[in-house]
Amino acid sequence: MEMAGTRRFPVWLVAVWSLTRVALLLYVLRVLVFPGPDVTTDVSVIYHGWYDTLRTGTFPRHDVTWQYPPAAALAILSPALLPFLDYTRAFFVLALLADLVVVCLLWYAGTRPGRTPRGAWLWTAGVALLGPTVYARYDVMVTAVAVAALLAGAGRPRAMGALTAVGALLKVWPALLLVGAASRRAWVSAAATAGALALLFGLTAPGAFSFLTAQRDRGTEVESMGSLVFHIARHFGWQGQVLLNYGSVEFLGPYVDWVSAAALALSVIAFGWLLLWRLRVRRLPPRALADAAFVAVLLFTVTSRVISPQYLVWLVGLAAVCLSRRGSRMTLPAVLVLGACLATVLEFPVYFGDVVASDRLGVTLLLARNGLLLLAALTAARTLWRTTVSVPPPAVPPQTPRTQETLAPS
């Protein structure tokens, strides 16, 4: 079957996506039991509790687990769009629809000239590898907005800017999509949209920006890069604790503030590298928009004091956009992220008890996942620099003085 003359219906993609997504739904609906702790309680308990508060017209500003920008309220309230389902089931259906939107966008983009459907396949595989956690967090909805923004790209800079602003007000990180934007119109559109929405939320809902100070006293989350220091130190007598704190399992105790400060310093260095890259860049080819966004989010992920499993959803989405262009230089980092997805589902939720206990299996899985992410970040950053900064300038033919021709008489 052909579509639009040149587009073949993606039978195998539809089949694989459908089979894996049915499996994910069966797991989150608890028809099948996935190994490890129940990942759906974030929706049935935490999100549902926020939903009850947000319906009153105010944000849950006294709940320390609310650490999100104001537009996150839209994602939490979205199950109201399906009143014939209870809150939890409605959320899972909407997460599935967001997943469907992403794969359709990537497939459609892959049918255009100079594009490839590899991005749709990467997304299909990455989400399947991450397991039911994807449908039990609202990050898949944020990623759908980010993918749409990047695919709008340089061709529709105003649309890209507006979508980026919406994404940033959903969960901050999509603001990094603008790192590689060359058009001033994208920046102006993003600023105007963000300003208008922020003003609307600020005037209509008390506590809209309480998230800005909600994470000051966080520790180091047990899955982060810095947590490896304490996982190993526990075997040498470190006297700290592992506690549920600010909605995640974190290390608290001696020297944790030092490691958290080091993570913040590394994030500042990452920002400085991105700024230097933008100042030194010689050319911004169309692919640099997605490549730069992928690199930026990778750098801030590996330097964060929190690396939750759902962060991999962002990386898979951005990597998929990169790979949707033929000749993408981000193939190796994308494959490394795919490997990190497999390591992630093993460390959470399958063997999360081993991670919390800092035993050999847990630490090995964490080393593998974080090592893959670090290698992906360094490889992607090196590739971005070499393809945009270190490229030789275009050759200019030598200018020679014009000489007059002497015509011999016939």
Side-chain angles (χ1 to χ4, degrees):
M1 177 178 177
E2 292 191 2
M3 300 178 65
T6 59
R7 298 171 192 159
R8 292 189 177 277
F9 187 75
V11 176
W12 287 108
L13 178 64
V14 170
V16 174
W17 185 89
S18 300
L19 287 172
T20 54
R21 275 36 178 192
V22 166
L24 293 184
L25 277 179
L26 291 176
Y27 282 126
V28 294
L29 292 173
R30 305 293 289 173
V31 176
L32 300 176
V33 179
F34 201 79
D38 181 8
V39 301
T40 67
T41 54
D42 274 38
V43 177
S44 59
V45 178
I46 299 175
Y47 286 10
H48 200 176
W50 292 340
Y51 173 80
D52 292 335
T53 302
L54 290 165
R55 288 172 60 192
T56 67
T58 186
F59 282 82
R61 51 186 170 176
H62 300 302
D63 185 346
V64 295
T65 61
W66 176 262
Q67 301 158 16
Y68 308 107
L74 303 178
I76 302 302
L77 291 169
S78 62
L81 297 171
L82 304 177
F84 48 88
L85 294 174
D86 63 60
Y87 181 88
T88 303
R89 288 184 173 85
F91 186 92
F92 296 151
V93 170
L94 291 172
L96 172 69
L97 291 176
D99 179 8
L100 179 61
V101 166
V102 175
V103 77
C104 287
L105 286 172
L106 290 166
W107 172 75
Y108 177 77
T111 63
R112 296 165 60 191
R115 300 275 188 159
T116 169
R118 288 192 308 165
W121 278 105
L122 181 76
W123 172 260
T124 300
V127 170
L129 286 174
L130 284 170
T133 303
V134 177
Y135 286 179
R137 306 291 188 271
Y138 82 90
D139 296 79
V140 65
M141 303 174 186
V142 184
T143 304
V145 175
V147 168
L150 283 178
L151 291 177
R156 294 178 291 277
R158 290 191 179 92
M160 183 212 166
L163 287 168
T164 297
V166 172
L169 286 172
L170 279 166
K171 206 164 187 182
V172 181
W173 69 264
L176 295 170
L177 303 185
L178 291 171
V179 167
S183 173
R184 184 177 299 177
R185 286 176 294 175
W187 288 85
V188 171
S189 175
T193 304
L197 290 175
L199 181 63
L200 177 64
F201 281 115
L203 293 176
T204 58
F209 296 96
S210 60
F211 78 98
L212 292 172
T213 58
Q215 302 189 49
R216 288 179 300 185
D217 299 322
R218 291 198 70 159
T220 294
E221 193 254 348
V222 295
E223 297 163 278
S224 66
M225 200 71 67
S227 73
L228 290 167
V229 173
F230 301 109
H231 282 296
I232 295 172
R234 290 176 83 182
H235 294 276
F236 294 92
W238 178 71
Q239 299 297 314
Q241 295 178 297
V242 180
L243 297 174
L244 183 64
N245 188 51
Y246 286 87
S248 64
V249 180
E250 299 179 353
F251 282 115
L252 300 172
Y255 310 111
V256 170
D257 54 341
W258 290 16
V259 173
S260 296
L264 179 60
L266 289 173
S267 294
V268 172
I269 292 171
F271 177 80
W273 184 89
L274 289 168
L275 181 60
L276 178 64
W277 167 78
R278 192 58 197 263
L279 293 173
R280 293 282 305 277
V281 69
R282 292 187 177 187
R283 63 187 180 95
L284 281 171
R287 68 171 181 270
L289 180 66
D291 290 357
F294 181 43
V295 170
V297 176
L298 266 171
L299 289 174
F300 280 99
T301 297
V302 298
T303 59
S304 173
R305 55 184 170 174
V306 178
I307 306 181
S308 296
Q310 59 267 27
Y311 290 16
L312 274 292
V313 181
W314 320 341
L315 297 174
V316 171
L318 299 182
V321 176
C322 293
L323 261 59
S324 69
R325 284 191 176 274
R326 292 191 184 278
S328 172
R329 306 294 181 85
M330 292 294 168
T331 300
L332 177 57
V335 171
L336 292 171
V337 166
L338 206 57
C341 290
L342 177 58
T344 295
V345 76
L346 292 175
E347 63 90 3
F348 183 91
V350 178
Y351 295 109
F352 190 60
D354 297 270
V355 172
V356 173
S358 301
D359 67 18
R360 182 176 299 178
L361 175 60
V363 174
T364 300
L365 288 173
L366 208 55
L367 276 169
R369 195 280 299 269
N370 289 352
L372 287 168
L373 288 179
L374 180 60
L375 185 58
L378 295 176
T379 304
R382 180 174 179 268
T383 300
L384 179 66
W385 188 277
R386 293 184 65 182
T387 56
T388 57
V389 175
S390 299
V391 291
V396 178
Q399 299 294 321
T400 57
R402 183 176 296 175
T403 58
Q404 293 184 345
E405 286 187 353
T406 302
L407 298 178
S410 57

